[in-house]
Amino acid sequence: MSYDFQGTASVITASRHLGTPSDERLNESVEIRMTSSGKPTIARLNFDTPLDWPGHPNFVTVNLPDGSSVSGVIVEIERPVDAPGWVAFTVDD
């Protein structure tokens, strides 16, 4: 299944670690470009403006305008505080 999307979406960045409360940050109305490839599926989410991140993020959810969502465990991340960035994550499909 393809998870390609370009436009405005909400992105939840999260730190979910066993034995500690989940720390989630909602980033509303973010301009994104998301592409996916491979099996297992890896999605890459590019964002033009910095996102709000919890400490030690390991999970991301993208809520699309059609009501669907794509989420998974972070495998790579580039999150500058003052520039565009990206995150790659696994997708359970």
Side-chain angles (χ1 to χ4, degrees):
M1 181 173 190
S2 174
Y3 296 98
D4 296 356
F5 175 82
Q6 183 168 344
T8 304
S10 293
V11 179
I12 299 171
T13 56
S15 177
R16 297 180 179 169
H17 298 277
L18 190 61
T20 62
S22 180
D23 185 1
E24 297 184 352
R25 308 291 170 89
L26 175 61
N27 297 272
E28 294 190 68
S29 301
V30 178
E31 199 60 35
I32 65 164
R33 287 172 313 286
M34 184 168 58
T35 57
S36 61
S37 63
K39 238 353 177 186
T41 305
I42 301 292
R44 180 178 166 120
L45 173 69
N46 294 283
F47 43 90
D48 294 333
T49 56
L51 300 180
D52 185 18
W53 297 89
H56 310 291
N58 63 345
F59 198 83
V60 64
T61 300
V62 180
N63 295 316
L64 301 172
D66 68 2
S68 65
S69 64
V70 181
S71 61
V73 175
I74 294 172
V75 294
E76 261 187 291
I77 190 171
E78 180 69 38
R79 56 182 182 137
V81 295
D82 59 353
W86 57 271
V87 59
F89 59 97
T90 61
V91 177
D92 296 328
D93 53 1

